[in-house]
Amino acid sequence: MNELLRRLFFLPEQGSTFATRVDALHFAMLLTTLGVGTGLGLTGLVFLVRYRRRASAEPTPHLIAPVWLEAVFVSVPLALFLLWFALGFRQYVWVESPPPDAMDVYVTAKQWMWKFAYPGGPSAIDTLVVPAGRPVRLLITSRDVIHSFFVPDFRFKRDAVPGRYTEIWFEAPRPGRHQVLCAEYCGLDHSQMRGEVVVLSPADFEAWRASRREGVPVAGESMAERGEHVAASQGCLQCHSVTGVPHIGPTWWGLYGRVEPLVGGGKVLADEAYLTESMMDPLAKVVAGYPPVMPSYHGRLSAGDAGALVEFIKSLRPPRPGPPVAEEPVYVPTGR
Ligand code: CUA
């Protein structure tokens, strides 16, 4: 049934778990509206024939529908629309919440190619290799203009914006190949900005990863290691400690995933989006208790360096189980 409808509506292959779910919702809505529309049309036709005016002098009777009938006319469509909302909203929340065990891959768009970097290992141009049956979270950014990462088989599309990271996740249930397109007009070769997602079985994926590591001994540096060098060379560590002690800025130790109070009220979750925003636009959300003195690194950090810094900050945390090693003490301005 699902397959038949997919072909009927000329939809591409369902290459992700999200594609199957979103198509099911799509089909349910289309079939319901088709059914209701056909029913209304047929009723109209029957009425047209049955109640047509037979003599020109015949007056049209004046009818008033009973209240209960009016209530049915209002409540049935309302219930249907609320049902769509509930189903759609549930899927929206699901697709916007990456599972905690997802494998991260950094995606950097530039005119006119896609670059994929794995935190622990190799990077690749235009071909994203992922294992089947495992959630993958993409952290997407751009080096130049706005692009959009679009995989029709996965039924998703996410903008790649310079200076910030957007995220999306997917799980491909079986091995296969899926086309990647750029869905935001980005210059001369926009239409040529294509890539591919290659889904391998978990065993094949591990073999691929191992082969990539052996093949490139020099680039064996992980993203976190590269981020440590970037942090040192860009002067980040003059204001941010990595040990849990606050300095001019908040410590990076355990920062990732923490909820920070902000100057002027409110809170922010220190995730990839916030960390990169703070590099590029540091004064947008200043953590309470710290002076707003950080300069912007927009144009000074490449997308690769920004991603490496994020990975470095993510690596600065105690091993998952067990109490945190160092709790950040409350910063009290001394009034110097
Ligand atoms: Cu990149 Cu269009």
Side-chain angles (χ1 to χ4, degrees), residues 109-114 145-148 182-187 189-191 193:
K110 62 170 275 200
Q111 288 167 323
W112 288 275
M113 61 176 72
W114 299 101
V145 298
I146 301 179
H147 304 267
S148 188
C182 178
E184 183 68 52
Y185 181 62
C186 57
D189 279 347
H190 159 70
S191 61
M193 192 171 161

Side-chain angles (χ1 to χ4, degrees), residues 109-140:
K110 62 170 275 200
Q111 288 167 323
W112 288 275
M113 61 176 72
W114 299 101
K115 192 179 159 209
F116 304 103
Y118 299 79
S123 62
I125 303 284
D126 286 343
T127 306
L128 170 63
V129 182
V130 297
R134 173 148 177 221
V136 176
R137 180 170 67 147
L138 302 179
L139 296 152
I140 305 170

Side-chain angles (χ1 to χ4, degrees), residues 50-98:
R50 187 159 168 201
Y51 299 110
R52 69 185 185 279
R53 183 186 282 194
R54 291 183 169 86
S56 58
E58 191 182 354
T60 307
H62 180 68
L63 289 177
I64 294 174
V67 175
W68 67 265
L69 197 59
E70 297 271 15
V72 168
F73 285 157
V74 172
S75 55
V76 169
L78 183 68
L80 271 181
F81 284 120
L82 287 178
L83 180 69
W84 298 147
F85 168 74
L87 293 174
F89 187 69
R90 214 179 56 176
Q91 278 196 2
Y92 173 77
V93 170
W94 178 74
V95 78
E96 290 293 322
S97 320

Side-chain angles (χ1 to χ4, degrees), residues 11-23 91 94-95 116 128-136 138 149-158 168-181 196-200:
L11 290 171
E13 187 196 336
Q14 293 169 338
S16 71
T17 50
F18 176 63
T20 318
R21 290 173 71 149
V22 84
D23 280 4
Q91 278 196 2
W94 178 74
V95 78
F116 304 103
L128 170 63
V129 182
V130 297
R134 173 148 177 221
V136 176
L138 302 179
F149 187 82
F150 178 33
V151 186
D153 289 354
F154 292 173
R155 308 285 189 275
F156 75 52
K157 188 188 283 178
R158 184 72 25 129
I168 194 156
W169 76 280
F170 67 91
E171 183 180 327
R174 57 189 174 273
R177 307 174 88 89
H178 308 283
Q179 196 180 29
V180 176
L181 301 169
E196 194 178 33
V197 182
V198 176
V199 185
L200 299 176

Side-chain angles (χ1 to χ4, degrees), residues 64-317:
I64 294 174
V67 175
W68 67 265
L69 197 59
E70 297 271 15
V72 168
F73 285 157
V74 172
S75 55
V76 169
L78 183 68
L80 271 181
F81 284 120
L82 287 178
L83 180 69
W84 298 147
F85 168 74
L87 293 174
F89 187 69
R90 214 179 56 176
Q91 278 196 2
Y92 173 77
V93 170
W94 178 74
V95 78
E96 290 293 322
S97 320
D101 61 335
M103 181 182 106
D104 284 353
V105 181
Y106 285 80
V107 181
T108 308
K110 62 170 275 200
Q111 288 167 323
W112 288 275
M113 61 176 72
W114 299 101
K115 192 179 159 209
F116 304 103
Y118 299 79
S123 62
I125 303 284
D126 286 343
T127 306
L128 170 63
V129 182
V130 297
R134 173 148 177 221
V136 176
R137 180 170 67 147
L138 302 179
L139 296 152
I140 305 170
T141 192
S142 165
R143 273 179 51 175
D144 35 45
V145 298
I146 301 179
H147 304 267
S148 188
F149 187 82
F150 178 33
V151 186
D153 289 354
F154 292 173
R155 308 285 189 275
F156 75 52
K157 188 188 283 178
R158 184 72 25 129
D159 278 3
V161 183
R164 79 147 78 161
Y165 277 81
T166 47
E167 64 171 37
I168 194 156
W169 76 280
F170 67 91
E171 183 180 327
R174 57 189 174 273
R177 307 174 88 89
H178 308 283
Q179 196 180 29
V180 176
L181 301 169
C182 178
E184 183 68 52
Y185 181 62
C186 57
L188 190 64
D189 279 347
H190 159 70
S191 61
Q192 302 301 318
M193 192 171 161
R194 299 196 197 122
E196 194 178 33
V197 182
V198 176
V199 185
L200 299 176
S201 70
D204 287 349
F205 178 75
E206 285 312 320
W208 172 82
R209 195 143 75 164
S211 75
R212 290 299 298 252
R213 276 214 197 93
E214 282 159 20
V216 206
V218 189
E221 189 184 45
S222 74
M223 284 182 74
E225 285 160 359
R226 178 173 160 200
E228 190 170 359
H229 298 150
V230 175
S233 63
Q234 292 285 345
C236 312
L237 302 178
Q238 289 168 15
C239 297
H240 297 280
S241 83
V242 295
T243 54
V245 182
H247 193 36
I248 296 170
T251 181
W252 284 357
W253 175 259
L255 173 62
Y256 179 72
R258 197 160 61 197
V259 175
E260 294 276 48
L262 294 176
V263 164
K267 286 180 187 151
V268 68
L269 172 69
D271 57 5
E272 287 84 359
Y274 174 67
L275 293 177
T276 48
E277 184 194 50
S278 291
M279 293 171 199
M280 306 308 168
D281 189 7
L283 306 186
K285 292 179 189 131
V286 178
V287 175
Y290 293 94
V293 293
M294 177 166 159
S296 167
Y297 281 80
H298 190 72
R300 291 166 65 184
L301 280 178
S302 71
D305 285 351
L309 273 178
V310 170
E311 276 305 307
F312 177 50
I313 295 171
K314 282 164 78 172
S315 73
L316 295 168
R317 57 176 163 185

